[in-house]
Amino acid sequence: MKKKLLVANRSEIAVRIFRSATELAHRTVAIYAKEDRFGVHRFKADESYLVGEGKGPVAAYLDIESIIALAKGNGVDCIHPGYGFLSENAGFANACEANGISFIGPSSDLLARMGDKIEARKIADQASVATLPGTEDPVKDPREALRIAKKIGFPLIIKAAFGGGGRGMRVVKDPKDLKASLEEAQGEAQRAFGNASVFLERYIERAKHIEVQILGDKQGNVVHLHERDCSVQRRHQKVVEIAPSIGLPDEVRRDLCDAAVKIAKSIGYYSAGTVEFLYDLDTDEWFFIEMNPRIQVEHTVTEVITGIDIVRSQILIAEGHSLHSKAVGIPKQEDIPRNGVAIQARITTEDPEKNFAPDYGKIVNYRSAAGFGIRLDGAMGDTGAIITPYYDSLLVKLTASARTFELAIQRMDRALREMRIRGVKTNIPFIENVVNHPIFTSGKATTT
């Protein structure tokens, strides 16, 4: 039977999900806030509906009651949350389940456990996977935070217990800065995720940020799709991602992938998920930091090197298919390919010369890159598009792939030079500097 799939999200990730759903012959449904009524994603779907009228540009996409009512009123069978917004909200997954709508992701119980980064640390500990010294419960009071911080030691990092994308995070190197940083992190977490809970964790100053993509099904099968290096960041927001990691010792690579599968199996995890680690370059130690129980922005590099459509797999897993069934078609672990190297750059409408301040306005000229080994994932990149101040500044994700890391860098550099965007400022000059920097080209980039 033809299913009707709604994406409770917007822009690039909504369009990405619609493509996989359309290939599966599902009818697609978009939602949009009033301020997003000209968003490309609403025109890429078979049907589109206004949601959260009068609630604001972001709150509209967080309006669980309205989204569920809209889905029920229009015969929606399943909902994919994308990333951000409600993607890690256990209450939303539970509302879908309670109303007979399939949630394309893990169960509400799994979301509650792994979406809470404090609980995820406990799960990793129970699975005998190393975690960084940190708090076991949310920290609210500045005096309590200072007492705990002295035990952890400085520098440390304050992190939002729910959500991601670098929001609700502050590095603290001096005890006198702890109170202000705690309040800032709590406020940002509340605004971004609707939950002000934060925790403290030891901060590693020279580390590689490595994440392992996993897929699990409802029959208990779990595999990893190798690792990605997400060390190039700005304000804790990933900027450039590479798959596989360059310069990571093979033994560490194997141990991280095994640990990711071990954690997922320990809780019966299913759907797509990303298990994240820090590899300390000074001590050669590695630590679990969190698990994101959803699709990631950077999933494209994994898809390119494995040839596996992760979103398509999510949809089929939610429908009850097993990983190794003909429908999903995931090979056995030892047969999952790792072909060449892929690099993803996030092109945003930010002005590097003004401390990366977001820029808004009308795109008067847009010429995208193309050619062999280039993949583009976007929704707002077009001549005449209006960039508003209401949402994340991501414009398009540019993924370059090749047989080797060196060739992939050359291809990325060429593609960035082809891009022509006029009317709004972008971070392309910054990305060009990054991918041509000696630290990046040597494969030795770290989170600093």
Side-chain angles (χ1 to χ4, degrees):
M1 291 179 61
K2 194 180 184 81
K3 293 182 180 290
K4 187 180 282 191
L5 182 150
L6 181 148
V7 177
N9 216 297
R10 63 178 298 278
S11 195
E12 172 268 326
I13 189 58
V15 173
R16 164 70 188 91
I17 295 164
F18 291 151
R19 286 174 173 149
S20 288
T22 299
E23 290 175 9
L24 288 168
H26 292 357
R27 188 167 178 82
T28 55
V29 181
I31 59 172
Y32 61 94
K34 181 181 178 181
E35 295 81 359
D36 218 6
R37 60 191 179 278
F38 300 117
V40 173
H41 73 283
R42 68 167 291 201
F43 302 107
K44 289 287 187 180
D46 296 314
E47 303 174 22
S48 64
Y49 300 97
L50 177 68
V51 70
E53 190 169 9
K55 295 198 172 183
V58 173
Y61 291 104
L62 299 174
D63 188 348
I64 295 175
E65 184 177 345
S66 294
I67 294 171
I68 294 296
L70 190 153
K72 289 180 66 178
N74 290 280
V76 167
D77 302 287
C78 47
I79 294 178
H80 195 304
Y83 54 70
F85 293 124
L86 294 169
S87 62
E88 295 185 48
N89 189 306
F92 181 50
N94 185 62
C96 291
E97 295 162 5
N99 285 277
I101 300 169
S102 175
F103 180 80
I104 301 175
S107 67
S108 56
D109 177 64
L110 287 169
L111 267 181
R113 299 182 72 189
M114 299 313 290
D116 180 347
K117 292 175 174 53
I118 299 173
E119 177 66 18
R121 283 170 50 88
K122 295 176 183 178
I123 290 169
D125 285 333
Q126 292 165 3
S128 300
V129 174
T131 59
L132 286 163
T135 54
E136 295 183 359
D137 297 294
V139 177
K140 298 180 180 178
D141 182 69
R143 288 173 296 182
E144 176 195 15
L146 183 59
R147 177 180 59 80
I148 297 170
K150 288 178 179 178
K151 293 181 180 179
I152 297 173
F154 290 88
L156 58 80
I157 188 167
I158 304 168
K159 301 173 79 172
F162 298 87
R167 295 178 178 85
M169 297 176 68
R170 296 292 187 278
V171 175
V172 183
K173 297 185 177 182
D174 193 310
K176 70 177 177 14
D177 298 326
L178 182 60
K179 182 177 184 295
S181 296
L182 180 68
E183 292 172 352
E184 288 176 8
Q186 289 172 324
E188 190 171 74
Q190 178 64 46
R191 291 189 297 273
F193 313 118
N195 191 315
S197 296
V198 298
F199 65 101
L200 309 183
E201 193 173 75
R202 191 176 95 196
Y203 180 67
I204 300 177
E205 297 199 74
R206 263 188 15 102
K208 275 188 171 293
H209 188 137
I210 306 296
E211 56 186 39
V212 178
Q213 177 71 60
I214 60 105
L215 276 176
D217 62 27
K218 297 178 182 179
Q219 290 75 32
N221 301 300
V222 179
V223 296
H224 68 77
L225 305 185
H226 310 298
E227 86 291 346
R228 303 185 285 257
D229 190 325
C230 301
S231 300
V232 181
Q233 302 180 16
R234 189 184 64 78
R235 297 174 184 165
H236 310 296
Q237 176 73 52
K238 297 162 189 172
V239 176
V240 176
E241 298 93 4
I242 311 164
S245 176
I246 305 300
L248 190 69
D250 286 340
E251 182 180 354
V252 175
R253 191 190 312 274
R254 183 184 65 246
D255 288 347
L256 295 183
C257 289
D258 289 347
V261 171
K262 185 178 182 181
I263 290 171
K265 283 188 173 182
S266 74
I267 57 170
Y269 188 86
Y270 64 86
S271 194
T274 302
V275 187
E276 304 198 15
F277 302 89
L278 288 180
Y279 172 55
D280 190 330
L281 292 172
D282 293 324
T283 66
D284 287 327
E285 298 175 288
W286 57 264
F287 304 92
F288 167 86
I289 51 172
E290 65 187 51
M291 179 176 180
N292 287 306
R294 54 174 169 80
I295 196 73
Q296 294 272 95
V297 179
E298 58 273 21
H299 73 278
T300 64
V301 289
T302 297
E303 290 185 327
V304 168
I305 68 166
T306 62
I308 293 171
D309 183 331
I310 298 172
V311 172
R312 181 189 180 99
S313 299
Q314 280 187 296
I315 296 170
L316 292 170
I317 289 167
E319 293 174 0
H321 297 281
S322 67
L323 287 180
H324 308 303
S325 65
K326 183 178 180 181
V328 184
I330 304 297
K332 297 294 184 181
Q333 183 66 74
E334 61 272 16
D335 296 323
I336 293 176
R338 192 180 72 183
N339 298 320
V341 176
I343 304 172
Q344 177 189 282
R346 303 185 190 190
I347 296 175
T348 62
T349 54
E350 297 174 320
D351 188 352
E353 295 184 0
K354 294 183 178 179
N355 196 28
F356 294 91
D359 197 22
Y360 320 111
K362 182 178 181 179
I363 297 178
V364 297
N365 183 43
Y366 184 91
R367 188 180 79 195
S368 65
F372 187 51
I374 296 299
R375 169 175 170 173
L376 298 172
D377 289 76
M380 296 303 295
D382 199 7
T383 299
I386 303 296
I387 306 302
T388 70
Y390 307 119
Y391 304 104
D392 184 272
S393 58
L394 179 64
L395 182 65
V396 62
K397 300 187 307 193
L398 170 62
T399 304
S401 59
R403 290 181 292 105
T404 66
F405 180 52
E406 292 75 18
L407 287 174
I409 290 174
Q410 293 169 13
R411 192 160 285 163
M412 172 63 75
D413 183 57
R414 181 266 296 171
L416 289 167
R417 292 172 186 272
E418 282 185 20
M419 298 287 287
R420 289 290 183 274
I421 302 170
R422 300 289 184 266
V424 293
K425 297 289 187 180
T426 74
N427 67 339
I428 288 178
F430 170 70
I431 298 295
E432 287 180 314
N433 288 335
V434 168
V435 299
N436 286 291
H437 194 284
I439 293 178
F440 183 80
T441 55
S442 68
K444 297 180 180 178
T446 71
T447 52
T448 55

